[in-house]
Every structure is written in structure tokens, then in C-alpha cells.
Amino acid sequence: MNTAVTNAPAPAQPATEPLRVTLVVGSNRHGRFGPVVADWLLDRLRDRDDLVAEVVDVADVDLPTSFEPTPEATAALSGVTPKLARADAFVVLTPEYNHSFPAGLKNLVDWHFGEWQAKPVALVSYGGLAGGLRAVEHLRQVFAELHAVTVRDTVSFHNAGASFDDAGALHDPSGPDAAAKTMLDQLVWWGRALREARVKTPYAG
């Protein structure tokens, strides 16, 4: 497991410098709906001048569950760990499987430690009647253990498949767009505050 702390002091950045945000797409299930929601999320992120986004997709990361540092694991980490390490903030997109979040997402999270520390995490979920909110509450506990800060407001899609048309557009974007703005405003506030704090005083854990 990669447990090295990567929050060494970084050069001071202006308070208005855009935050580097990594969108983590948390499902690798066959036939998953996640990419539809991820594309919508990326549009919301790219609409903002205060965020610069990149993506980590669990489906593209082949990590063993044994946490053995095999050559295959090292190769997989070389593509994903830098995206987590250089992020100022995260947006984690999760479905809900059996009242919780997917094993592939937990595996990706557990392969890292310092990359999450003292950084904010926004949570977006999708599912059936519950909209993935039970998965979100479980993730809050996980990220608290990793010394990350989850922002209060979320975006959730209840009966997600019926919310989007065949082209991936929302039938009624007003509610989700407003919820996304509130969530991302909070993420930016926490991201700037914690980025400045990490520069002034490296987080000791």
C-alpha cells in the first residue's frame, strides 16, 4: 500500500489561482451508468474559471486487492497516483451497490493515503430510490479516517437512468445544476483554505 505522505510544502500560489480538482469515477461495473453522470459533472467543472479538472476512472485502473507492490500494481499506480497527489481537491462519483459504494472505489482509495490528506472531497452519487446517499455516508467515514474533509452538500440522482435522455442530457437540469453550484462553491472555499494552510504549515496527520 502506498502510505507515503505527499503533502510536502508547495510553492505559494495566489488565492485566486484555479484549484486542481480530480474527478474520481467510482464504478467499474459492466454496463455502468457512471460515464453519463461523469460527463455531466465534467461540463459543470469546466464551466468554472476557478477549477481545472482531470479524471481518474476506476475502470481504467487495474490494481490488485492484495496491496502487493507487483510490477503491474506499480504500473497502474504510475498513471493514477500523480493525479491524486497534485490535486487540491476531489469530486468522487459513486453508485450505490448493496447499500454502500463499490469495491473498486474502496480499493483505489486504500492504495493511497497521503494523497488525500488535508484536502476537500465533494461527493456525487446516483442510484435508485435512495440516489446513492447511503454510499455517500459510508464514504464520509472513509475519508475522515484519511484526514480528508468532505463538503457538506452533495449532488444525488434518484432513479438516475430516468433523469437523462439517450444523448446524456438531463430532462430537467435546473435542480442538479443548482445543487452542483452549491457543492462546488463549498469545494472551492475549502480547497483554497486548505491549500493555503498546507503551504503555511505542512499537515502532520
Side-chain angles (χ1 to χ4, degrees), residues 92-167:
V92 176
L93 170 63
T94 183
E96 183 176 312
Y97 298 164
N98 301 320
H99 282 221
S100 193
F101 57 94
L105 175 56
K106 184 63 160 62
N107 194 37
L108 173 71
V109 170
D110 287 349
W111 268 96
H112 299 89
F113 183 71
E115 291 79 6
W116 308 110
Q117 281 192 337
K119 296 178 183 179
V121 181
L123 298 166
V124 179
S125 63
Y126 60 96
L129 290 175
L133 291 175
R134 291 170 293 207
V136 164
E137 292 310 305
H138 287 180
L139 279 168
R140 289 192 191 280
Q141 299 174 58
V142 171
F143 281 114
E145 181 66 18
L146 293 166
H147 299 254
V149 178
T150 56
V151 302
R152 190 270 183 193
D153 284 68
T154 66
V155 180
S156 60
F157 291 96
H158 304 257
N159 296 316
S163 299
F164 293 81
D165 64 23
D166 291 341

Side-chain angles (χ1 to χ4, degrees), residues 3 8-9 37 48 78 83 97 106-107 114 141 158 189 203-204:
T3 58
V37 185
R48 300 181 63 112
S78 70
K83 293 182 179 181
Y97 298 164
K106 184 63 160 62
N107 194 37
Q141 299 174 58
H158 304 257
W189 190 95
Y203 185 73

Side-chain angles (χ1 to χ4, degrees), residues 24 27 43 50 57 64 70 78 94-95 99 118 145 156 167 172 186 204:
V24 179
S27 173
D43 285 343
D50 49 7
D57 190 337
T70 62
S78 70
T94 183
H99 282 221
E145 181 66 18
S156 60
D172 181 5
Q186 293 174 7

